[in-house]
Amino acid sequence: MIEMILFWIVILSIPATLVCGSVFFAARSAPRARYDEVPRSRLVRGVVLASFGLAVMAFFAWSTHEDQPYDDFGTAVTVLAGVIAGALLILGLGPVIAWLLGVLGRSASPLPPAIRPAVRPMADKPARIAAGVTTTMAATAVAVAVVILSVAVTAKARADYRPVARLGALVVEGFSPERAAAVREAVVQEFSGAPVVQNNSRRERGYFTVETADHSFLQEIHIGDQALLHYLTGDPSTPYDQKTVVVLAAGGETQDSMVIRYERSLSDPSTSVKTVPAVTVRPAEPRVGSVFIPAKIMEDFGFHLESNQLIIDPSLHRTSAIEEERLSRRLGATARVQVERGYHAPTGWQDFVAVVLLIALAGALTTTRSAASRRILRRVGGGSTAALRYFVACRAAFGAALGAGIGAVAGCVIGLLLAWPMTAPIGWDVPPRVPFETPWLLIAAFVVALPVLAAMIAGVWAAVPGRRELSP
């Protein structure tokens, strides 16, 4: 476990280093004086790195755009390479930010005098200003990309989710046949008065299939008695016949008979085949390829059955979290205890995005930190505190808007391109990817909120006594 954690720390440190390197790259590319330009070699390197990262992500998106099964290891390598390519895109934007700041600063002359000093960030400490705006850009790009990817992966995971039981049902499984009686006794004692439904499995090993008349296979097989059938259908009035298979289908298709086929091994040519009557009923909850086989049919086939799952029917008893915890503590490692509560989307990414956006905000605030720029703004404003607060707020808003705008565009490109490999179907039984709604309103809120917050905080900070002459 520790080795796996260390492995992922080392792997993820590569894109993290590249993203942080964009700040250093921007600071090194910034001109030393107000009217100097960004070295052309640095700008070319940045454009090349960004273009290469964009091309790699586009290639991986194209190579995984089809809805077909993909190899799990190959997909993992593709995702990792795509993440590194996205970090290269952010790294390459560092010198571009420094160059753009210089261009905007030199083009500020036509602007009104009231805001001209605020949009000339290269007038003082170009390296610091470029690093601050690039921090905002990189953090915003990461936040936007994480938001888009989280929405895409959550939509795919919700579509792929297959419940282990009906919603609200308690399921006890994973116990050995030798411990089945003890586990059942514990469940009966903890849920006194609640009927315990038993699902069975075959003791014999081999290849067992259940086929429909059109030779399609039903993968999910339930073997048990009348109580299990009523649990699956959610209807106590469902007819039960020990010699009739029940197909649980929500689509309305019907089956008159089923073919049960059993092969002991590949080396044993003998095959047991039996055709049994079947009826089709609607399940309590939609399931694909689910079938109920009475225990009598399996025993007549020559199988020995053993319990592999115990269920508390939610229509007869609603299991609470306290009861689940108590039974889980009693059984310990003997069996797995779980209450089916449906799919719950992960929310940990929200905390990560919040922290990254705070870093973006801090980067914007560093653009107003030096004392020299404050003296320039105070001189333009006639020495008044109100004018200083106004110019400092404009400076912070300008840096935040520039960094957040470019970062949001880069984050959208990264997120939308990486969404293809990160939602690629893995395995033959996994359904194809599903469409997802890109959270454009949330992304727009990031771009608008960062400049507003930066302006408010910078304006208040400029009016605090003792903060007007901060050292550079």
Side-chain angles (χ1 to χ4, degrees):
M1 182 64 179
I2 297 179
E3 292 80 2
M4 183 61 66
I5 294 176
L6 293 176
F7 170 78
W8 281 110
I9 290 177
V10 173
I11 292 298
L12 295 178
S13 64
I14 299 175
T17 301
L18 294 176
V19 171
C20 295
S22 65
V23 180
F24 176 78
F25 201 5
R28 290 294 302 271
S29 302
R32 296 182 177 274
R34 175 178 179 180
Y35 295 105
D36 292 344
E37 296 183 357
V38 174
R40 186 177 298 274
S41 60
R42 299 279 176 84
L43 182 60
V44 170
R45 292 174 192 172
V47 172
V48 170
L49 285 174
S51 301
F52 178 76
L54 179 61
V56 171
M57 287 189 296
F59 171 76
F60 287 145
W62 176 83
S63 62
T64 57
H65 76 283
E66 296 183 359
D67 286 335
Q68 63 181 18
Y70 293 91
D71 176 68
D72 53 353
F73 178 76
T75 303
V77 173
T78 299
V79 170
L80 177 60
V83 171
I84 295 176
L88 281 177
L89 172 61
I90 297 176
L91 174 65
L93 290 177
V96 176
I97 291 289
W99 171 79
L100 188 59
L101 285 169
V103 171
L104 294 176
R106 291 188 295 271
S107 304
S109 299
L111 296 176
I115 61 174
R116 189 184 304 160
V119 296
R120 280 180 170 172
M122 286 299 182
D124 174 64
K125 298 291 182 182
R128 174 182 293 173
I129 303 299
V133 176
T134 304
T135 299
T136 302
M137 180 275 299
T140 304
V142 171
V144 171
V146 169
V147 168
I148 294 176
L149 292 175
S150 298
V151 173
V153 172
T154 299
K156 182 66 167 58
R158 181 177 285 108
D160 294 347
Y161 179 75
R162 292 295 178 265
V164 299
R166 284 175 51 190
L167 190 65
L170 173 76
V171 179
V172 181
E173 57 187 358
F175 48 85
S176 62
E178 297 77 15
R179 300 289 298 170
V183 171
R184 183 181 180 89
E185 181 181 358
V187 174
V188 171
Q189 291 177 359
E190 291 293 335
F191 296 90
S192 178
V196 179
V197 179
Q198 180 172 306
N199 199 0
N200 301 299
S201 62
R202 298 171 291 106
R203 184 183 303 172
E204 290 78 9
R205 303 305 176 196
Y207 301 92
F208 180 83
T209 59
V210 179
E211 305 176 24
T212 62
D214 57 355
H215 302 290
S216 60
F217 297 92
L218 298 179
Q219 302 295 334
E220 189 175 352
I221 301 173
H222 307 276
I223 305 172
D225 55 10
Q226 185 175 9
L228 178 61
L229 175 62
H230 291 168
Y231 157 75
L232 294 173
T233 62
D235 184 6
S237 64
T238 303
Y240 171 75
D241 187 348
Q242 291 186 350
K243 297 183 178 181
T244 302
V245 171
V246 179
V247 180
L248 304 167
E253 62 273 15
T254 60
Q255 299 292 336
D256 297 328
S257 63
M258 303 293 293
V259 177
I260 299 177
R261 189 183 306 272
Y262 173 67
E263 300 178 9
R264 290 174 177 81
S265 65
L266 292 176
S267 59
D268 189 347
S270 61
T271 301
S272 301
V273 181
K274 188 175 184 178
T275 301
V276 296
V279 296
T280 304
V281 300
R282 184 176 295 275
E285 295 178 6
R287 290 282 186 100
V288 177
S290 181
V291 60
F292 167 78
I293 303 178
K296 178 65 173 174
I297 293 179
M298 299 296 290
E299 293 170 353
D300 293 344
F301 210 93
F303 291 115
H304 297 83
L305 302 180
E306 54 191 22
S307 174
N308 72 334
Q309 195 178 61
L310 300 176
I311 305 170
I312 299 296
D313 193 334
S315 59
L316 302 177
H317 178 83
R318 182 67 64 171
T319 304
S320 65
I322 296 177
E323 292 174 322
E324 177 189 6
E325 182 180 359
R326 185 170 62 240
L327 179 61
S328 179
R329 187 167 52 248
R330 177 173 178 174
L331 294 178
T334 304
R336 296 189 303 272
V337 179
Q338 176 184 351
V339 174
E340 178 58 54
R341 295 188 173 90
Y343 177 76
H344 291 275
T347 58
W349 62 271
Q350 299 177 3
D351 298 331
F352 175 80
V353 169
V355 172
V356 173
L357 289 178
L358 287 177
I359 296 176
L361 181 61
L365 293 176
T366 60
T367 61
T368 63
R369 183 175 178 270
S370 69
S373 62
R374 289 171 180 262
R375 284 194 294 270
I376 295 174
L377 297 177
R378 187 181 297 109
R379 184 171 62 253
V380 173
S384 67
T385 302
L388 174 63
R389 295 179 59 182
Y390 170 77
F391 285 124
V392 169
C394 288
R395 171 69 62 84
F398 171 77
L402 182 62
I406 298 176
V409 174
C412 288
V413 171
I414 295 171
L416 293 175
L417 289 179
L418 290 184
W420 291 101
M422 293 194 71
T423 58
I426 299 175
W428 293 100
D429 297 330
V430 178
R433 59 169 59 89
V434 295
F436 66 94
E437 295 293 335
T438 304
W440 297 115
L441 291 179
L442 182 59
I443 296 172
F446 293 164
V447 178
V448 173
L450 279 174
V452 173
L453 289 175
M456 293 174 58
I457 296 175
V460 173
W461 187 257
V464 176
R467 297 294 180 185
R468 299 184 184 179
E469 298 294 341
L470 294 176
S471 60

